Structure formats: C-alpha cells, structure tokens
Amino acid sequence: MVKRYDSLYGEYIFVDQTIYEPQNNVQIFITESKNSVTVQRMKETLIQCKYHTELLISNIILGKSSEDNFLNQQSYQDNYGIQSSYNCTPKYQSDHLNDSQNLACLMAQTKKISLIQGCPGGGKTTTSAHIIKSMMSNFDSILVCAGTNIAADNLCIAMKKLGIEFTRVCALTIEECSSEGKYQKYQVHPDVKDYEIHAKCQLKLQPLLQQLNQKYSQYEAKKQYNENLNQTKYTRYIEYDEREYFYDAITRFTKVDLDMLKIYMTQPPSIRFINCNRSKEVSSKAFEHYRMLYSQIFSESKILVATCATSGDKRFADRTFEFCLLDESSQCIEPEQLIPIIHGCNHVVLVGDQNQLGPVVQCQNLVNAGYNLSLFQRLIHCGFPITPLNIQYRMHPALIEYPNTKYYQGIINSGIKAENRILKLKTSLKEQIITNSFPSLMIDVNGKEEFNKDSKSYSNKQECEFTLELIKYILRTYYVKEEDIGVITPYIQQKFLIQEQLKNIHLNEVEVNSVDSFQGREKKIIILSFVRTDNNGFTSDQKRLNVSLTRCQYQLYILCNVQCMNKNEELKQLVDFYVSKQALEQTSTLYSKIQILQKTSKISQNIVQNKVNDAQNDALTIILKKSKQQNQREQDINITLDKQKEEAPIVQFIPKEVIEQVKQQSQNKTEEATKTNKKYKRMSLEL
C-alpha cells in the first residue's frame, strides 16, 4: 500500500493495488477490494506510521531502534516492556476477578504495551472492561476498539455492567442508514442503544424541546386570545409577538426549527451532512444546534468505543488518545489495528487469542506475503511476553482437556465443577449414549461427500440425516430448547442441507452455521459435521478445530469419517484421544442404542403416566367423599335449625355465635379438602 518496514518479513512497498518485495523481486497484485474505504484508511495510517516516531508501536513495527537488535538490549525492557506510562502505583484489584485476570489488569497498568491472551470461556471481555475501569483515573482520553461491531457491542455491555460511562460511535454508513430509515446490515445492540452518540444527543435535546413546546403553547394561546379580542372589537395591549410565525428570542428558533427538533428525537440527521455541511437543512438553526451537540459529546467523551476501521474517519482526526485497548486483536490484520493506535496512543493493551481464528484473507499470495498477520501475533514474534487468562468458566472440565493439552500447553484450569455441567434428563432412565464423566462422542459416519458446482461447496447427506436423528434424540431426552443446540459445519452446502431438513420437521430454532460465525459464542450442545470423506480440506486447520471444539458448555458430538481423519496427523491425534476415552462409536451401533432407549423411554413414560392417572383418580375420589360429607353436615345443621324454629318460633335457642362457629368449621373443612387435592396433584406430578 505504502512503504512499510517489517522486521520479520523484510521490506515491503505497497503502491496502489500492487505489493512489491524488492529483495526477491516479487510482485503481488490485489485484484479486488471489498471495502475501499477501509483500505484507504489503512494506507493513510501506514504513511502516518512512518512519521510518528514518538509512538512505540510505530517504531517496533518499522524496526527503528538506536541499536541494531533492540530485542537483545537490556534497555528494551525499560523502554518498551515494564516501564509505567504514568507516575502512580497500580492499586486496582477486583474481588470479582480471578488471579490471572487481576494479573492481566496489573500488567496493563504497568506496561506501555501489554498482550492479554484469553482462553475459551476465560472472560476476555470481562477482563477488558475491568482494565478500562482501572485506567479511567489515570487517563483523560481512552479509545476502545474491536475488529467487528458485534465484538465492540459485547465489550460495551461488559462496561455497562461495571457502571463505566462511554460513547458508542458507529460507522458513517450505519448512522446514515439509521437516520434515513433505510435497511442496514448492522444495528447497535439494544443494551448499548442509550450509549450511542445520537441517543445522547437526543437526551440533551429533550429539555430544550420541552421549553420550546411550552413557549409555543403560550404563543398559540396569546395569538388566539388576540384574535378573539379583534373579533369583539376590543382594543387592549397584549404581550405577545405579533409576527406571523413563532420566534424564540433566546434560541432564535422558529416553528420550522421546532418541528425539525421533534423529527430529530426519533430520526437523527445524517451525520455525513453534519461533517461536510451539504444538507438542505444547513440553514436551519435546529440543525446547527444538533451539530453543536454532536461535536460537543464527541469531543468531551472520555471513552469512545468503535471498530478499528471506524476510528480512521474524519471525526477522529482532531482527537488524541492517551490509552487504547484493542479487543479481539488477533482477528484483525495489522494495518487495520494500527488505525486507532496512530491517534497518539503510547499506552496500548491488546486482548486476543492467537490459537483461535485469525484475520480472513482469501488471496493466497497476500497470505504468503504476511498480510494475514495480526498485530497481536507480530508483537509475540517480536518477543513481547503475554499474560494468559488460565481459568475457563464455559465448558465441562472434561471437554477442555484436549484443547488445553493441544493448544494451550496445559495451563488452563476449570473454574466450574463437572456437576454444574450435566444436563437434566426428562425420563427416570439414567441410560444415555454418552457418559456424564466425559459428555462427548465421536461418531464415525459411513457417508460420502458430494460437491455442488453452483455453490462450489461440499455436503454429506448421511451426516445430515444422523444430525437430525441426534437432535431429535437430544430434545427427547434432555431438558433443553431448540436454541440451546448449535450445529457447526465448515461447508455452506452442508449448512443449507441441514437447515432445509430441520425446517421440514419444524425445528427452525436450531442454529446451523460456520466456524467463523460461532467464534466468541457458546451453546449448551454443539454438533460438528466435518462432511469430508476423501480429503480433509480446511477442516484440518488447527485454529478452526480449536474454535469448533470449544463452543460447547455441556455436550459435544463430532460427526466425521474416521478413515479420512486418520490421513491427517493432527486430526489423527483427535481420533486417538476419543479412542482413549472410549468415546468413538459407529452410526449403526448408535442407531440401535437410540431406538432401544426410545422404546424403553416410552415404556417408562407409560408406567409413569399410569401412576399419575391412578394418583389423580385417588385424589378425585377423596375430594368427592369429602364433598359428600360436607354436604351432609350442612343438611343436618339446616334440619336442626328448622326444628328449633318450629318448636320456638319467637325465641332463638341457638345463638348467632354458635351458628357462625359451625359455618367457620364447615369452611375450614372445605379448605382442608382443597389442600388435600393439591397435595395429591403434586404427588402425581412428582411420580
């Protein structure tokens, strides 16, 4: 894009849409760019990096140092590693964080550049929010960025729970679509809506709007009063503005401005007009006032939250930030992450996980050139130490065992007990196709992959059929909802096939999606469909495999072709792990088990239903008996009273207190019968 120095990959020159590598005389052509605005901002950022010599990251990226090899110098640790960027002793420590999370907060405070590595379910977002809270007393301007709007909103929700005041800033295109009522691909999360900059502008407009409405009402009343006086031919001095239109002398707003403010309360003006001053509304005082509020909130907000690409637009040009936190930083390419840092940030915290999905770069030539490298990975390669979060709160402890050993060197501990990750059975039977000690199963499906020429993707009908059978078994056996189940498949044709079959059996709430869509998310039950039978393809990608294996909370099912899996050494290790756990089954065996469990479950349900019916009949018999006895008592009392009236019609032999007492006793017995009925119903439900 522009001239760029890389200490790991040599010197690259990016000019227009061509990348040159002078040392090897290699030219790489970028044939297509999906987002030209983002690419242009990355170009501008790389140009600025060349001249921002005061930024530590800029110097590290460009390989500039007073020594030839600054990583081996003792001064490096002082200048780039552990020297505090402010003169105070870090004291922030939360009782709501574990030891590794508190250590991450400490490292973020004491290091100018710190890397926080999160494990699956390790609370990266929560830790990031606490880091921001710890920095609020030390910095006046903080910029928080993430690669995607979803990640930015998730961090905003965590900050909101801690009571942190911030302003959410969206891309100009999103704000413009929102203001004009057009369809947009993304909308701010409802929990974050009140913190969005337009919502804050509308909140500040409310007092002014109320004041103007009140003045306008007075104006209308006085005007009507004056018209009535003219009609009755009275002449009297009246204090009201005799103009033909409403005008407020303090704000200089007219009726048009007032109407415009009312519109802004539900439909804010397009922000690009606020920036470039090209609206028909520009002459309106209301528009000028709204623009002033917008600029004021933007400049005075201590914490701004946006995506990395959004932080490069013109709104951020005049702001300088002392501290920057990059969440999910391992998922963005390096030039994109430099966009927020270039705003003068000399204290940077990067939170990510290099063992999960990285940036998506489809061009293999760019991948070979190192374009898919994230800043998080770059700094690790440069020798920066990482602070790991080593306690996970998502998965059953047994399910994290393989990813922990394979990808995290065994440092992850479980902060949740196994008994808290066991699903409750619907029937009294304790038999399942998996065990509670290891709630996972690898299923060897004897299927065949099929290639679709239209979608250029693969599908596997046999895996699809067994996925549906498995989902029906899960819903029949456990207390789970459809939305608690997630199906992950790496191929879009398989996704369409499973979705279509689920729709046919009215199970539309089961989510079927790709690995990328499930990153950063979780489900109670995950079913993996590997699809391939001849060649593993990109299912052997270890980062994708890590993400796929770590999305579940309670149970994990893997549908694959074991013979094909054994062709790849990495996937063979996964097969061997399940063999060692005695958790590898054939589809034929499982079909038989599921059918037997289904029949046994029906027999058990019939027995339980019969017991329930018997209990209900017994309860009804008792209720009827009690009711007859009660009616008989009331009849006896009435007969006795009638006889007494006949014998002494004038004198009342039975006092009123006695009659009330008898009625109270009758009422008490009725209540007792009702309680007995409820008791028997409860017993029947328990049975």
Side-chain angles (χ1 to χ4, degrees), residues 143-146 148 152 167-170 304-308 310-311 316:
L143 180 59
V144 180
C145 289
T148 62
T167 300
R168 176 74 167 93
V169 181
C170 294
L304 293 180
V305 184
T307 61
C308 293
T310 301
S311 66
F316 290 82

Side-chain angles (χ1 to χ4, degrees), residues 615-633 669-670 672-674 676-678 680:
Q616 289 177 346
N617 292 332
D618 293 341
L620 289 173
T621 303
I622 293 171
I623 291 169
L624 291 173
K625 186 177 180 181
K626 293 282 185 182
S627 177
K628 287 181 179 179
Q629 292 175 356
Q630 182 64 26
N631 292 333
Q632 187 64 39
R633 288 193 192 96
K669 290 178 180 179
T670 304
E672 183 180 353
T674 304
T676 305
N677 181 22
K678 291 182 179 180
Y680 279 99

Side-chain angles (χ1 to χ4, degrees), residues 64 66 163 214 268 359 364 389 421 424-425 452 570 605 682 686:
K64 296 180 180 180
S66 57
Q214 185 178 1
Q364 188 58 41
L389 305 179
R421 282 293 181 261
K424 186 179 179 181
L425 291 165
N452 186 283
E570 300 289 343
Q605 288 176 359
R682 186 167 60 252
E686 291 177 355

Side-chain angles (χ1 to χ4, degrees), residues 13-31:
I13 300 177
F14 294 68
V15 181
D16 296 331
Q17 297 300 314
T18 309
I19 301 178
Y20 298 92
E21 185 182 358
Q23 295 178 355
N24 300 322
N25 294 322
V26 176
Q27 295 185 11
I28 303 173
F29 296 92
I30 305 176
T31 58

Side-chain angles (χ1 to χ4, degrees), residues 464-489:
C464 175
E465 292 173 359
F466 195 81
T467 298
L468 267 63
E469 191 67 30
L470 201 55
I471 291 173
K472 290 188 287 186
Y473 161 78
I474 292 169
L475 293 173
R476 193 168 54 240
T477 307
Y478 303 101
Y479 283 102
V480 294
K481 301 177 182 178
E482 294 179 31
E483 54 264 30
D484 295 329
I485 304 174
V487 181
I488 299 178
T489 178

Side-chain angles (χ1 to χ4, degrees), residues 88-338:
C88 70
T89 304
K91 297 179 180 180
Y92 183 86
Q93 189 170 7
S94 174
D95 295 334
H96 300 288
L97 302 179
N98 58 49
D99 292 341
S100 65
Q101 291 171 331
N102 274 318
L103 179 61
C105 289
L106 178 64
M107 293 295 103
Q109 294 175 75
T110 55
K111 290 186 177 183
K112 288 188 175 182
I113 301 173
S114 56
L115 309 180
I116 311 298
Q117 180 196 4
C119 64
K124 293 192 296 291
T125 304
T126 302
T127 306
S128 298
H130 278 274
I131 290 173
I132 295 167
K133 186 176 181 179
S134 68
M135 297 297 186
M136 291 179 64
S137 59
N138 304 294
F139 297 108
D140 295 327
S141 56
I142 297 174
L143 180 59
V144 180
C145 289
T148 62
N149 282 295
I150 294 176
D153 281 354
N154 289 338
L155 185 53
C156 286
I157 294 171
M159 293 165 62
K160 180 182 176 181
K161 292 178 180 178
L162 295 180
I164 300 173
E165 183 61 32
F166 61 90
T167 300
R168 176 74 167 93
V169 181
C170 294
L172 295 176
T173 52
I174 293 178
E175 291 187 357
E176 183 177 347
C177 289
S178 177
S179 65
E180 296 179 3
K182 297 179 181 178
Y183 169 77
Q184 57 190 50
K185 293 183 178 180
Y186 184 80
Q187 292 182 345
V188 176
H189 194 281
D191 293 341
V192 188
K193 193 68 178 176
D194 293 340
Y195 293 84
E196 201 264 335
I197 189 166
H198 280 299
K200 290 191 173 185
C201 288
Q202 292 168 350
L203 185 63
K204 284 200 171 188
L205 278 179
Q206 285 181 355
L208 174 63
L209 191 59
Q210 292 175 358
Q211 181 183 0
L212 290 175
N213 276 329
Q214 185 178 1
K215 288 185 177 181
Y216 182 73
S217 299
Q218 295 173 358
Y219 165 81
E220 286 290 329
K222 290 179 180 179
K223 183 178 180 181
Q224 184 65 37
Y225 183 57
N226 184 69
E227 290 177 355
N228 293 337
L229 288 178
N230 290 334
Q231 290 175 4
T232 56
K233 300 181 180 180
Y234 282 106
T235 58
R236 184 180 302 174
Y237 176 73
I238 302 174
E239 293 181 359
Y240 103 104
D241 193 343
E242 295 183 357
R243 303 182 188 185
E244 295 179 357
Y245 58 88
F246 170 73
Y247 177 79
D248 181 57
I250 298 176
T251 59
R252 298 183 181 180
F253 281 3
T254 64
K255 180 63 168 61
V256 175
D257 298 319
L258 178 59
D259 293 338
M260 221 170 256
L261 286 180
K262 291 179 181 179
I263 295 174
Y264 291 166
M265 291 302 295
T266 56
Q267 184 177 320
S270 178
I271 206 63
R272 65 186 175 96
F273 294 147
I274 289 179
N275 283 338
C276 56
N277 215 14
R278 291 182 304 178
S279 173
K280 296 178 182 178
E281 305 170 354
V282 133
S283 58
S284 167
K285 292 291 182 181
F287 181 81
E288 294 293 338
H289 184 75
Y290 193 93
R291 177 165 56 183
M292 179 194 69
L293 283 180
Y294 189 97
S295 302
Q296 181 183 359
I297 293 172
F298 191 89
S299 59
E300 293 179 358
S301 295
K302 186 172 184 177
I303 301 176
L304 293 180
V305 184
T307 61
C308 293
T310 301
S311 66
D313 69 31
K314 295 180 179 179
R315 291 172 291 176
F316 290 82
D318 297 331
R319 283 212 60 174
T320 301
F321 299 92
E322 301 171 280
F323 171 74
C324 178
L325 184 138
L326 299 177
D327 194 22
E328 301 293 353
S329 62
S330 56
Q331 298 181 33
C332 300
I333 59 176
E334 187 177 350
E336 187 176 1
Q337 287 179 303
L338 291 175

